[in-house]
Amino acid sequence: MRRLLIVILSLSFALTGCSINPVTGEKNFVLPNLDENWEREVGQKMYAPMRQSQGGDYILDPELTKYVEGVGNRLATQAKRDLPYEFHILNDSVPNAWALPGGKIVVNRGLLTELNSEAELAAVLGHEIVHADAAHGARQQSKGMLTQVGMVAAMIFGSSMADSEMGQQVAMMVPQLGAQLITTKYGRDAERESDLYGMRYMSAAGYNPQGAVQLQETFVKLSAERRSDWLSGLFASHPPSAERVANNKATAKSLPDSGEFGREVYLRRTAYLREMKPVYEDYTNARKALVEDKASEARTLVDRAIKREPREALFHALSGDIYAANDNYRKAEGAYSDALRLDDSFFYHYLRRGQARYELGKLAPARTDLEYSLELLPTAQANFLLGNMDKRAGNMESALKHYQAAATSNSDISRQAQKELIIIDLPSNPDRYIQIKTVLEQNGSVSAAVRNNSPVTVKNITLKVEHIDTSGKYREFSRSIDQRLGPGEQSAVGTGIRDIPDMNELDRRVRVTVVGAKTQES
């Protein structure tokens, strides 16, 4: 225990460290391994899959994307670090914006329809640029890592087990990336920094800093109205407050009262998006209706959306979802193909067409679609179906890999994958799933209690009985259980041994193990 304590304390001290905030010039706590190389690598690896997981890129208006990129790049010239900044619009109605480490930034389609000027857009993007420029993601990860180490250390110190496995967990700890990096609330200091320096960046880039004041005033108003889309979007990670409005007003007074608002150009650039806002509302309501099993209402809404904007792939994909919900996989396949014709860069369209083709028995094209969807974004659904196809083809090694990948999510598909893994593994390792306990009866005879601890029904259970008789001779024989045992069910079988006087003799002279079993599905 003492040696383990020294290891943990040494690790804690080794993890601590300070770095200079490139934006403020102040010292901040950041783990040594979470340096700029880490930021760049995380941003590069996570940017595409995170965009895929939140609706994919908005591609209907390429000029709008160029416009947002132009505003972002104009602001990025004021950043203190030369990071590989990128800016994308996500095809998501939830008003939101986020930044990954390394300068990878997005703004949602739904947020652009709520802004009123280029200065407000500059305030949003400037705020996110500072999060990246000041390494707030690395700082947040560092705090989380130190908290984890402290928790593990406390668990070890409170344990009486000298061989506690917690020490191994410390060595294996790595930051949890992805959604954690864009949904975790930054600390108040980080938000203040991003507000303050974001306004300085936008002012230096030629925008009027009053745009940031107007933006926060709008956010506070919307927060007071408790609009659910805002609460699930930008407000979740960037909560507005009267304090932030007051701080922005004070900052604006310290900056030149000049620069562009760009209201007219912004409204002109976003005119089509604003015109289509009610159409996307129909799409959102159609999705909600489908979840509530109101297929007819969902069909009416999505057909109206398609009529208004037939180029939007999301609308066609939802049409496919409605067909699939009614088991009309032929029409679903056609709708997903329409979606792919319009946008072949989004994983969902490949995944759903692959699922429809799987249901139609078109296994070869289904495999192609599912495998391509995995390249864009790994999902439990695609891995599970590919596992099923590999199992059917007798490629058990590949099936295991797909089921293992599918089993890591917290979903019904994950539980099905876990069941399939057991179906494959149980015949080779029945002792992992079937519990055996020897029982001494009052008359000195021995029986074996058998319990199925797996989530599947088992059959053909074979036990190996090892026995040392009264003359000291070793005997070995088998016993079988003919009945099937469902999950959690148990049974008993006699061993034929009748010369055991007490429990001490039972433990010393008899051992029963399970050596064979099959699943009902096998």
Side-chain angles (χ1 to χ4, degrees):
M1 170 65 80
R2 179 178 177 80
R3 291 180 63 187
L4 186 56
L5 172 61
I6 293 172
V7 169
I8 296 300
L9 290 176
S10 298
L11 178 60
S12 297
F13 288 124
L15 290 178
T16 59
C18 289
S19 67
I20 300 299
N21 186 319
V23 174
T24 66
E26 299 173 351
K27 289 184 177 180
N28 289 145
F29 167 72
V30 178
L31 297 178
N33 60 315
L34 303 185
D35 57 10
E36 185 171 312
N37 289 332
W38 176 87
E39 294 178 78
R40 288 171 177 262
E41 183 178 358
V42 166
Q44 184 64 36
K45 287 184 176 179
M46 299 303 301
Y47 196 38
M50 289 307 299
R51 297 193 335 258
Q52 286 285 325
S53 70
Q54 297 188 27
D57 293 338
Y58 176 68
I59 65 171
L60 270 188
D61 190 348
E63 292 303 314
L64 180 60
T65 298
K66 290 179 182 178
Y67 172 65
V68 171
E69 288 175 343
V71 175
N73 289 327
R74 178 175 168 180
L75 291 161
T77 60
Q78 305 303 318
K80 305 303 181 184
R81 290 195 292 168
D82 185 21
L83 295 173
Y85 286 98
E86 290 186 55
F87 304 89
H88 281 83
I89 303 174
L90 291 188
N91 200 7
D92 192 328
S93 296
V94 174
N96 202 7
W98 49 259
L100 283 174
K104 307 303 184 185
I105 293 168
V106 305
V107 57
N108 283 15
R109 166 175 48 76
L111 180 57
L112 293 176
T113 60
E114 300 289 345
L115 306 181
N116 296 299
S117 69
E118 189 171 310
E120 290 188 14
L121 173 61
V124 170
L125 296 180
H127 183 98
E128 298 302 334
I129 286 171
V130 175
H131 276 316
D133 199 20
H136 287 162
R139 193 195 310 179
Q140 198 73 10
Q141 282 297 121
S142 299
K143 292 178 181 179
M145 285 282 284
L146 191 62
T147 300
Q148 287 179 315
V149 170
M151 290 173 60
V152 171
M155 293 175 73
I156 293 174
F157 302 156
S159 173
S160 62
M161 298 293 290
D163 60 346
S164 170
E165 294 181 358
M166 288 295 172
Q168 299 174 26
Q169 294 184 24
V170 174
M172 292 186 293
M173 278 186 181
V174 294
Q176 294 181 2
L177 304 179
Q180 176 183 332
L181 287 167
I182 64 171
T183 57
T184 301
K185 289 183 181 180
Y186 290 110
R188 294 179 67 183
D189 288 343
E191 288 297 315
R192 289 194 191 102
E193 281 181 18
S194 290
D195 284 345
L196 171 62
Y197 289 93
M199 291 181 69
R200 291 182 180 179
Y201 286 8
M202 65 182 290
S203 177
Y207 292 106
N208 194 308
Q210 287 294 333
V213 176
Q214 295 169 359
L215 180 73
Q216 283 299 324
E217 288 176 337
T218 300
F219 285 179
V220 169
K221 178 182 177 181
L222 292 169
S223 178
E225 295 171 358
R226 299 189 65 81
R227 279 181 45 184
S228 60
D229 56 351
W230 280 93
L231 294 173
S232 63
L234 199 67
F235 292 172
S237 55
H238 300 73
S241 66
E243 177 191 357
R244 291 181 69 178
V245 173
N247 289 342
N248 281 10
K249 287 181 177 179
T251 301
K253 289 181 180 179
S254 70
L255 296 171
D257 187 16
S258 60
E260 302 173 29
F261 276 102
R263 177 176 173 81
E264 289 184 4
V265 65
Y266 183 81
L267 294 179
R268 184 173 70 253
R269 295 280 192 169
T270 59
Y272 177 74
L273 200 61
R274 293 168 181 276
E275 180 186 346
M276 288 296 105
K277 185 177 178 181
V279 185
Y280 283 102
E281 289 174 355
D282 278 347
Y283 166 73
T284 299
N285 291 331
R287 288 180 57 183
K288 181 180 178 183
L290 181 60
V291 170
E292 295 173 350
D293 293 326
K294 301 175 182 177
S296 178
E297 179 182 341
R299 171 55 62 192
T300 298
L301 290 168
V302 78
D303 283 349
R304 186 166 70 189
I306 291 173
K307 185 176 181 180
R308 285 285 307 276
E309 180 44 274
R311 299 177 303 152
E312 177 53 79
L314 291 183
F315 301 166
H316 293 276
L318 180 54
S319 176
D321 291 343
I322 297 170
Y323 284 128
N326 290 305
D327 297 331
N328 191 338
Y329 296 107
R330 183 181 60 80
K331 285 191 175 182
E333 179 189 15
Y336 297 133
S337 293
D338 288 339
L340 279 165
R341 176 176 50 81
L342 295 165
D343 182 3
D344 62 358
S345 66
F346 189 32
F347 88 98
Y348 187 78
H349 305 153
Y350 289 101
L351 171 64
R352 293 296 282 152
R353 189 173 71 174
Q355 291 174 315
R357 286 175 165 176
Y358 177 88
E359 295 293 340
L360 292 169
K362 300 179 179 181
L363 300 187
R367 178 180 292 278
T368 299
D369 281 344
L370 294 170
E371 287 178 346
Y372 197 79
S373 79
L374 286 180
E375 292 181 21
L376 294 170
L377 184 70
T379 60
Q381 294 95 327
N383 273 302
F384 180 73
L385 293 184
L386 287 168
N388 286 351
M389 285 190 279
D390 285 333
K391 179 183 174 184
R392 185 180 304 181
N395 189 352
M396 303 309 290
E397 182 178 353
S398 181
L400 280 170
K401 290 180 181 178
H402 283 300
Y403 286 141
Q404 287 165 353
T408 58
S409 69
N410 182 23
S411 63
D412 289 339
I413 287 289
S414 176
R415 286 180 281 277
Q416 292 179 50
Q418 292 168 11
K419 182 177 178 180
E420 291 295 337
L421 285 171
I422 291 172
I423 290 172
I424 294 173
D425 186 55
L426 188 145
S428 300
N429 300 284
D431 55 311
R432 293 180 182 175
Y433 310 98
I434 299 172
Q435 180 182 357
I436 306 295
K437 182 178 181 180
T438 52
V439 178
L440 180 62
E441 308 292 350
Q442 290 184 349
N443 61 1
S445 63
V446 177
S447 62
V450 183
R451 178 182 173 83
N452 175 18
N453 289 331
S454 81
V456 298
T457 298
V458 295
K459 62 182 180 179
N460 299 347
I461 301 173
T462 302
L463 308 179
K464 180 172 76 172
V465 182
E466 298 173 276
H467 173 223
I468 299 175
D469 63 21
T470 53
S471 65
K473 184 177 179 180
Y474 173 82
R475 299 172 56 215
E476 179 184 312
F477 52 93
S478 63
R479 286 287 184 269
S480 298
I481 299 179
D482 294 331
Q483 71 183 95
R484 302 185 179 199
L485 296 182
E489 292 184 349
Q490 58 187 15
S491 183
V493 60
T495 65
I497 300 171
R498 302 181 180 277
D499 58 353
I500 304 299
D502 53 44
M503 291 298 299
N504 288 333
E505 287 292 291
L506 177 67
D507 293 338
R508 188 175 67 85
R509 293 171 50 195
V510 179
R511 184 172 68 172
V512 182
T513 54
V514 58
V515 293
K518 294 182 179 181
T519 64
Q520 181 170 294
E521 291 82 355
S522 60

